[in-house]
Amino acid sequence: MLRQQKKKILINLLLEEIEEEEIIIEEVMTKSVNDLYLTRKKEGFFSVLIEKHLFRDEKKFREFFRLSWEQFNFVLNLIEDDLKLNPYNRVKEPISPAEKFAVTLRFMATGESFHSLAFAFRISQSYISRIVKLVLKSLSNRLTPILLPTPTKDDMVEISKQFWKKWNFPNCVGAIDGKHIRIFSPEKSGSLYYNYKDFFSIVLLAIVDANCKFILVDIGSYGKESDSGIFNKSKMSEQMKNCEYFPPNCKIPNSEKILPYVYIGDEAFRLDPHMMRPYSKIESRNDCEKKIFNYRLSRARRTTENSFGLLSQVFRVFYTPIPIKPETVDHLILSACCLHNLLRDQYTLENTSEQHYYNFDPNDYPANNMVQLEHTGGYGNYEGFLVRDEFKQFFNSPQGTVPWQNYHTLRTDTS
């Protein structure tokens, strides 16, 4: 009897919630609505520009959304169920999942304000903010397992082969770097997000492969935190401490030397047997072999700058301070990284050249909105110094040298 009574109470409460939701919607719908929003079906971007023109023009569709028509549909099929209205909602002309996705993609592609998007799509500014939050959360949840899965040991071995083939760095399973992404000051956050460059930010820490794809990301650290501490508390750092995470040490190409698999980074990261960073300027100033190591590491690490540059040029929301709540910014960054990988996969299938999938100009970069981590990575450990010296010797040996390395190091000295 007691169970039945509890069951009845729960059913009544659910019915009350549904009725209350319907009442709220009816009240909203009966209030006076600006004529601008009543013309959405006739004059809004989605019905006029997108459905009548862009759906027929693949090139223009991609310019507008950054995704091809096929990619748009692929992603929409994954998130469509999350974007549908509650079946109990009695809205005469509901906004379709495709239109919600279109609004969000346009926001990511341009960084337009919600106020501007409201005029274009004929959807109120407050409701656009709700749409963007919903779509970004769905994108990050649905796309991450597919487009940003945790790499296996076999994946790492394949990544290392690509780094050797394309960037001449052996046993490298990823290049690591981080960026402070500028945001608006969050409410009641104090100085938590205030970084060393005197603006509010959220940190994106990423590892990329030889094809400029993101393979691991850590998002959401406060801008106030020290940059060395951000990595030390990240999942990446925890994985590196696990002896079974990396594949077993192996011979590097054209040599009998057995070395561990490593990530490569700049001075912001601590030297470790599995983390290579350059020699300091003081150390390398009068040592040609160390200069060559620094050149070879910097050349391979260029993939991180290329990845961040492509990400920001395709999704220009990163060119402006992002005006949404920090938890939604986390979903935005993760969604952008996943969509970047989707675009990169398609590009590598269609092209064999080393050109980028988008018109990427290295000089056109949001320098004030995506700022490098501070170069304070701390001291290295003894084993890390030994491993780095082994790589240095290999790069200066007949087996590991590349024809142009002396020219580039000498050019650096004279410039």
Side-chain angles (χ1 to χ4, degrees):
M1 285 291 291
L2 187 61
R3 285 184 180 179
Q4 289 180 348
Q5 288 177 352
K6 286 183 177 180
K7 193 173 182 180
K8 284 181 180 179
I9 291 170
L10 286 172
I11 292 171
N12 289 331
L13 286 172
L14 286 171
L15 289 172
E16 285 176 8
E17 285 183 9
I18 293 168
E19 289 174 1
E20 185 179 350
E21 189 179 30
E22 289 181 343
I23 291 167
I24 292 170
I25 291 167
E26 284 180 2
E27 287 180 354
V28 171
M29 295 303 294
T30 54
K31 284 182 180 179
S32 59
V33 179
N34 194 298
D35 291 343
L36 182 74
Y37 306 129
L38 295 176
T39 58
R40 176 171 58 87
K41 286 289 185 180
K42 294 180 180 179
E43 300 175 0
F45 256 22
F46 193 77
S47 59
V48 176
L49 177 65
I50 299 169
E51 289 186 330
K52 292 183 179 179
H53 297 282
L54 297 186
F55 280 167
R56 303 173 187 176
D57 189 329
E58 176 73 20
K59 183 180 178 182
K60 293 298 181 184
F61 185 93
R62 181 159 183 171
E63 285 180 14
F64 191 82
F65 285 122
R66 306 300 192 253
L67 302 184
S68 68
W69 171 234
E70 184 181 353
Q71 291 165 340
F72 183 94
N73 275 322
F74 168 74
V75 176
L76 179 60
N77 287 334
L78 292 174
I79 65 173
E80 190 170 12
D81 289 341
D82 296 339
L83 308 186
K84 288 179 180 177
L85 277 176
N86 187 320
Y88 296 103
N89 287 353
R90 296 183 293 183
V91 179
K92 292 180 180 179
E93 294 183 349
I95 300 173
S96 67
E99 192 167 357
K100 292 176 181 177
F101 185 35
V103 172
T104 306
L105 273 184
R106 190 60 183 165
F107 168 66
M108 295 175 69
T110 64
E112 281 186 70
S113 68
F114 292 162
H115 192 66
S116 174
L117 291 170
F119 281 108
F121 284 89
R122 300 295 198 268
I123 302 171
S124 71
Q125 182 178 341
S126 60
Y127 198 65
I128 283 180
S129 68
R130 293 170 59 189
I131 288 173
V132 169
K133 180 180 178 180
L134 174 65
V135 175
L136 289 176
K137 184 176 180 180
S138 179
L139 284 173
S140 60
N141 290 337
R142 300 289 184 181
L143 295 184
T144 302
I146 300 171
L147 297 171
L148 203 58
T150 302
T152 64
K153 291 182 181 180
D154 290 338
D155 293 333
M156 292 184 186
V157 172
E158 184 58 35
I159 290 168
S160 70
K161 291 177 182 177
Q162 291 297 315
F163 262 105
W164 173 247
K165 179 182 177 181
K166 294 187 174 185
W167 302 102
N168 309 111
F169 203 106
N171 285 27
C172 176
V173 294
I176 184 170
D177 202 355
K179 294 291 183 184
H180 286 274
I181 296 177
R182 186 187 290 259
I183 62 173
F184 274 77
S185 172
E187 292 182 3
K188 300 178 181 179
S189 63
S191 60
L192 272 179
Y193 294 92
Y194 199 70
N195 64 33
Y196 76 102
K197 286 289 186 178
D198 299 328
F199 64 83
F200 294 90
S201 67
I202 283 177
V203 177
L204 164 61
L205 192 64
I207 297 174
V208 305
D209 67 10
N211 295 311
C212 300
K213 280 180 59 180
F214 294 101
I215 52 179
L216 282 173
V217 296
D218 189 274
I219 303 164
S221 293
Y222 300 122
K224 180 182 178 179
E225 297 180 68
S226 66
D227 292 329
S228 58
I230 289 169
F231 175 72
N232 292 334
K233 75 179 186 64
S234 69
K235 292 181 180 179
M236 302 169 189
S237 179
E238 293 176 6
Q239 290 169 338
M240 282 181 59
K241 294 172 185 176
N242 182 355
C243 298
E244 297 181 357
Y245 175 70
F246 290 95
N249 298 359
C250 71
K251 291 181 181 179
I252 54 179
N254 308 324
S255 174
E256 294 300 312
K257 285 187 178 184
I258 297 176
L259 290 175
Y261 286 92
V262 297
Y263 290 131
I264 54 175
D266 60 16
E267 294 89 342
F269 301 95
R270 183 175 178 267
L271 185 65
D272 184 87
H274 293 291
M275 174 68 75
M276 293 293 100
R277 59 177 278 178
Y279 291 96
S280 68
K281 290 182 180 179
I282 296 174
E283 286 182 284
S284 61
R285 183 173 297 159
N286 298 314
D287 191 323
C288 185
E289 290 190 351
K290 291 180 179 179
K291 286 179 185 176
I292 287 172
F293 171 86
N294 285 358
Y295 163 71
R296 294 285 291 273
L297 183 141
S298 297
R299 182 174 181 271
R301 200 178 59 79
R302 193 186 309 160
T303 54
T304 58
E305 288 302 319
N306 290 346
S307 298
F308 288 129
L310 288 165
L311 180 73
S312 59
Q313 287 218 335
V314 173
F315 301 110
R316 296 241 165 183
V317 67
F318 296 112
Y319 272 72
T320 60
I322 302 175
I324 51 181
K325 292 182 179 180
E327 56 270 21
T328 307
V329 175
D330 292 349
H331 290 303
L332 167 66
I333 297 170
L334 184 53
S335 300
C337 291
C338 290
L339 293 174
H340 166 93
N341 284 357
L342 178 67
L343 292 169
R344 194 64 188 159
D345 283 337
Q346 186 65 34
Y347 178 83
T348 51
L349 285 174
E350 297 174 353
N351 299 271
T352 55
S353 68
E354 290 304 314
Q355 295 177 0
H356 297 299
Y357 64 77
Y358 196 75
N359 295 326
F360 171 45
D361 180 3
N363 297 317
D364 183 12
Y365 193 79
N368 295 325
N369 291 292
M370 293 184 76
V371 175
Q372 198 78 12
L373 297 185
E374 196 173 9
H375 291 175
T376 54
Y379 299 101
N381 58 32
Y382 179 69
E383 291 82 3
F385 285 107
L386 294 179
V387 172
R388 185 170 65 176
D389 285 341
E390 290 289 341
F391 276 108
K392 179 197 70 175
Q393 292 172 17
F394 173 70
F395 292 146
N396 287 278
S397 69
Q399 295 80 17
T401 189
V402 292
W404 59 86
Q405 64 186 30
N406 290 325
Y407 166 75
H408 279 285
T409 52
L410 287 171
R411 188 180 67 172
T412 304
D413 289 343
T414 57
S415 60

